[in-house]
Amino acid sequence: MNVLDPARCSGRAIGILLAGIVIIIDSQRLFGSPNLDQWTAGNLTAAMNFAPLNFYSVTWGGGQFVAVGQIYNQATHTSACLTSPDGVTWTPHDLGIACVLDRVVWGGGQFVAVGWTSLGSPQGLGYILTSPDGANWTVRSTDSTARLYSVAWGDDLFVAVGNGVLTSPDGVTWTSRSSGGGTCVVWTGSEFLIYQDAVDSTLYQTSPDGISWTAQYSPQSNLNFDFGNVVWNGNLFAAVGDGLFSDIFSSIDGITWTSGNIFPSGNGRYRDLLWDGDQFVAVGDDSGIVSSPDGNKWTAHSTGAAADFYGVAWDGQRIVIAGDGGTILASGTQSPTPTPTPS
């Protein structure tokens, strides 16, 4: 039996040559999910002249991780952006834009990041940036000044939400679609859903196309939950945020929510999560990281870092966490990608 070099296979697929037949299997099913108690700190040496850094979102696309956030000091809050092929070695990119980037996604062959201005006038002005490679970014104009918190890609459409709803088929031309808004948006494969903060946590909006939206109401009048992010794994919704009764919920229909059980408990708010094909992984304040195969029972893990975690991403092999104080962690024990020697 010959196992083909995994590096020559895309994503999570590994080929096995057996009796002259190549069988493609799922590498994560073969080797298991990442070890969530073993982490490697990202090498941010090249970015230290941009410190202090806070990262609020990280994503995988186009063969690399992209982390965004802000360069924070007393004078200004400037956009921060770093890229990495392996989650360990990171390259900074000077955007020179006075805004905070809250969320970045990959879709349609490009990265789209959304955020808002934190200083100057008017404060809270929404920003949308696009990039084909994570290094070169273009600010896109919109017909709205809405502050933006989240963006999703689905059915060949970007949907950005905040103090309004904007859509774009290409990341270049954006159109306002609703006077409402929300704190996060998710694509289920058949519709977009927008969720709110604790004041309106029973209100959510649905749309099959991102253009026409319908206001819906959950029967849980006492939910009292600030939705931070929602993930759909094809069978189940999982949500993280800040709640009076729980910081993690799950739902079969996205309407009625059940609080998750975390053991051991003790961490604060959870801010982002993903589904890696086997389990949900959520990260949050006080170095919080938990995992669950069913959205109900959650197991706490340790990273050895002291930071608030805001973003988490998955490339099919490893998980990367991004947080405040310039914190970036990659699951497992790894060596940085070697820097090419100039010819």
Side-chain angles (χ1 to χ4, degrees):
M1 181 175 68
N2 296 322
V3 179
L4 303 182
D5 181 359
R8 297 177 181 269
C9 303
S10 62
R12 293 159 40 148
I14 291 180
I16 295 180
L17 183 61
L18 182 63
I21 301 174
V22 175
I23 302 173
I24 304 299
I25 64 174
D26 188 323
S27 65
Q28 290 306 310
R29 298 299 188 270
L30 178 65
F31 300 113
S33 291
N35 185 342
L36 299 182
D37 291 295
Q38 189 176 58
W39 297 87
T40 298
N43 181 359
L44 274 63
T45 302
M48 285 303 96
N49 59 320
F50 291 104
L53 294 167
N54 288 336
F55 298 113
Y56 299 131
S57 181
V58 59
T59 193
W60 168 264
Q64 63 182 335
F65 290 100
V66 172
V68 300
Q70 68 174 126
I71 306 168
Y72 177 82
N73 58 47
Q74 296 298 320
T76 183
H77 297 175
T78 304
S79 300
C81 176
L82 276 74
T83 58
S84 172
D86 58 7
V88 179
T89 301
W90 292 84
T91 301
H93 305 284
D94 187 0
L95 276 58
I97 302 170
C99 75
V100 176
L101 294 178
D102 266 344
R103 184 73 62 180
V104 60
V105 298
W106 168 264
Q110 64 182 322
F111 296 98
V112 171
V114 300
W116 44 277
T117 57
S118 57
L119 298 174
S121 178
Q123 291 190 22
L125 177 68
Y127 265 83
I128 299 176
L129 288 74
T130 65
S131 172
D133 55 13
N136 301 287
W137 293 82
T138 302
V139 177
R140 301 300 181 181
S141 62
T142 73
D143 60 355
S144 171
T145 59
R147 180 172 178 167
L148 299 172
Y149 302 113
S150 181
V151 60
W153 166 259
D155 199 25
D156 296 325
L157 189 74
F158 290 103
V159 176
V161 302
N163 297 337
V165 178
L166 299 170
T167 66
S168 173
D170 56 11
V172 177
T173 303
W174 292 83
T175 305
S176 297
R177 297 298 183 185
S178 171
S179 59
T183 56
C184 66
V185 56
V186 60
W187 168 251
T188 69
S190 60
E191 66 177 351
F192 291 98
L193 290 91
I194 295 175
Y195 293 93
Q196 314 287 328
D197 58 20
V199 175
D200 296 310
S201 59
T202 59
L203 169 67
Y204 65 100
Q205 300 177 67
T206 63
S207 174
D209 56 12
I211 298 173
S212 300
W213 293 85
T214 302
Q216 312 274 6
Y217 288 89
S218 168
Q220 293 175 282
S221 59
N222 63 341
L223 186 59
N224 206 336
F225 183 63
D226 277 327
F227 282 90
N229 199 13
V230 178
V231 167
W232 167 250
N233 73 352
N235 297 296
L236 187 74
F237 291 94
V240 295
D242 190 11
L244 181 62
F245 305 107
S246 178
D247 295 320
I248 294 184
F249 285 86
S250 63
S251 172
I252 296 175
D253 56 12
I255 301 172
T256 302
W257 296 87
T258 301
S259 60
N261 299 305
I262 302 173
F263 182 83
S265 61
N267 290 99
R269 173 177 183 170
Y270 288 90
R271 298 181 179 271
D272 198 12
L273 80 167
L274 56 77
W275 171 258
D276 72 3
D278 292 312
Q279 61 186 347
F280 294 102
V281 178
V283 300
D285 292 354
D286 301 325
S287 307
I289 175 169
V290 293
S291 64
S292 172
D294 59 12
N296 179 28
K297 295 181 179 179
W298 294 79
T299 301
H301 302 275
S302 175
T303 65
D308 290 336
F309 300 147
Y310 292 100
V312 60
W314 162 249
D315 71 349
Q317 296 179 340
R318 65 181 62 89
I319 286 175
V320 167
I321 299 172
D324 67 3
T327 300
I328 293 183
L329 303 172
S331 61
T333 302
Q334 321 164 48
S335 298
T337 299
T339 302
T341 302
S343 56

